Amino acid sequence: MKLNSVLLRWSAPLVMGAALISGTAQAQSGATECIAPAKPGGGYDLTCRLAANGLQDTKLIDRPMMVSYMPGGIGAVAYNHVNGVRRDDPSLIVAASTGAAVNLALGKFGKYDAGEVRWLGALGADYGAIVVKADAPWKNLDELMKDLKKDPSKIVFGAGGTVGSQDWMKAALVAKATDISPRDLRYVAFEGGGESFAALLGGHIKVFTGDLSELRPHLDSGKIRVLAALSDERVGGPYAEIPTATEQGYDVEWPIWRGYYMGPDVSDEAYNTWVERLKELSEKETFAELREARGLFPMAMFGEEFDTYVKKQVAQFKQLAKEVGLTK
């Protein structure tokens, strides 16, 4: 047997044991922890620090919250860790987002599904957007949809994610809203939002399915036209003039929520304590400023309402993935 195989066999239980001891010690000391299922920087780090900084600044926790990083499988490693090691840890919350719901729907979290954790709440959100160049022939979403229905192959969509990603899901939902199979879409995947935005401006794609927050620096440039915000209602500030897809007659919404879950065996008492803590945080003016500074829009949904919301969302994504052949 190879040495690294032996080390792996011996180290795995030691790591799990250390995590159990750490979790127990934290619970006894009143310390709190947020796991960001990714490397430092990026959305999950932002989500953990939104809670950590907000709770500390508003004095809703007595000690600074520890932020830990657990990259791997776009959230799968952390999800499996919580289910395997820290199922009942009352001190631990884990950052999650709409992306986690997509990956659960696609079966990327292994044997676990959306019902394996307790979904805690969301403290903020971003929203998808349908974007074209300023000189594009479509002045509104309806004009785009009518041309798309005539010949889907002539309109190239693009965004920073492969087939099955959040950005692709937005394009797929747009297609479905006008009775076009997502299989018939022409979709080009890029490394990220910046690269796909450049492709839009360069004329390599015709429609960019991005997010509102990333568009803010470009709204006054005169180079783009935002045909629709994929929010339930218009958002304010610099986005106030952007109509939603719904108000234009197309039932397409894509909130990118930023939230948290806890282990499946956490007590009702511990769970409800966290629910009330996050609710109180969401109502603080200090927190509203913190959220806005991070480019997020208001979203406050907690407890059983949020748990039901996430599970319903995962079920919808599963159905969509099945329809387009991503899953069986």
Side-chain angles (χ1 to χ4, degrees), residues 121-143:
L123 284 174
D126 196 356
Y127 294 98
I130 307 301
V131 189
V132 298
K133 283 183 68 177
D135 60 358
W138 312 291
K139 298 295 189 295
N140 54 55
L141 184 60
D142 192 52
E143 291 180 0

Side-chain angles (χ1 to χ4, degrees), residues 149-171:
K149 194 167 180 65
K150 289 176 185 175
D151 190 351
S153 67
K154 287 189 176 181
I155 301 175
V156 183
F157 284 70
T162 58
V163 171
S165 68
Q166 288 196 67
D167 288 341
W168 176 84
M169 285 278 190
K170 297 172 205 169

Side-chain angles (χ1 to χ4, degrees), residues 9 49 61 88 166 206 280 313 317:
R9 289 179 61 195
R49 296 200 177 277
I61 53 176
D88 61 351
Q166 288 196 67
K206 298 299 183 184
E280 188 173 352
Q313 191 178 56
F317 294 162

Side-chain angles (χ1 to χ4, degrees), residues 10-313:
W10 281 98
S11 63
L14 288 173
V15 170
M16 295 179 82
L20 282 168
I21 294 169
S22 172
T24 303
Q26 280 187 276
Q28 292 173 346
S29 68
T32 55
E33 178 184 358
C34 182
I35 290 179
K39 295 178 181 179
Y44 282 141
D45 192 3
L46 178 151
T47 306
C48 270
R49 296 200 177 277
L50 189 66
N53 296 343
L55 291 169
Q56 186 172 359
D57 290 352
T58 56
K59 304 188 185 306
L60 290 173
I61 53 176
D62 297 326
R63 299 173 54 183
M65 173 181 276
M66 181 172 73
V67 175
S68 304
Y69 300 96
M70 193 173 289
I74 322 175
V77 170
Y79 204 82
N80 281 261
H81 170 76
V82 171
N83 274 286
V85 181
R86 300 177 71 176
R87 297 176 61 85
D88 61 351
D89 189 340
S91 66
L92 177 69
I93 63 174
V94 185
S97 71
T98 306
V102 170
N103 287 330
L104 280 165
L106 295 176
K108 292 185 177 181
F109 282 9
K111 64 180 181 179
Y112 299 115
D113 62 22
E116 301 290 343
V117 298
R118 301 193 73 172
W119 296 97
L120 184 59
L123 284 174
D126 196 356
Y127 294 98
I130 307 301
V131 189
V132 298
K133 283 183 68 177
D135 60 358
W138 312 291
K139 298 295 189 295
N140 54 55
L141 184 60
D142 192 52
E143 291 180 0
L144 171 64
M145 294 296 226
K146 286 177 178 176
D147 279 357
L148 189 64
K149 194 167 180 65
K150 289 176 185 175
D151 190 351
S153 67
K154 287 189 176 181
I155 301 175
V156 183
F157 284 70
T162 58
V163 171
S165 68
Q166 288 196 67
D167 288 341
W168 176 84
M169 285 278 190
K170 297 172 205 169
L173 288 173
V174 167
K176 279 176 61 66
T178 192
D179 296 323
I180 294 171
S181 170
R183 292 172 180 263
D184 295 331
L185 278 182
R186 289 184 62 192
Y187 178 86
V188 180
F190 296 91
E191 284 295 322
E195 187 177 322
S196 46
F197 189 80
L200 176 73
L201 296 181
H204 304 295
I205 61 175
K206 298 299 183 184
V207 184
F208 170 48
T209 50
D211 301 329
L212 283 181
S213 63
E214 66 184 321
L215 299 176
R216 186 164 185 168
H218 309 286
L219 291 178
D220 298 325
S221 67
K223 296 180 179 179
I224 64 169
R225 180 183 300 132
V226 186
L227 298 184
L230 303 185
S231 51
D232 56 344
E233 57 185 30
R234 291 197 189 197
V235 298
Y239 311 95
E241 298 303 314
I242 301 172
T244 68
T246 302
E247 71 183 79
Q248 297 179 75
Y250 298 93
D251 186 18
V252 184
E253 294 181 13
W254 193 270
I256 303 105
W257 51 263
R258 294 288 177 187
Y260 314 88
Y261 64 82
M262 300 184 75
D265 297 336
V266 168
S267 69
D268 288 344
E269 180 183 3
Y271 178 78
N272 290 329
T273 295
W274 273 103
V275 167
E276 292 306 316
R277 183 181 281 156
L278 294 185
K279 272 186 183 177
E280 188 173 352
L281 175 61
S282 71
E283 296 166 358
K284 300 283 188 181
E285 186 175 337
T286 304
F287 175 73
E289 296 170 357
L290 189 69
R291 183 192 61 227
E292 185 176 350
R294 283 157 175 75
L296 295 177
F297 302 100
M299 180 177 182
M301 187 185 295
F302 307 100
E304 293 305 315
E305 181 186 10
F306 183 64
D307 190 86
T308 300
Y309 170 80
V310 174
K311 290 172 182 174
K312 181 179 178 182
Q313 191 178 56

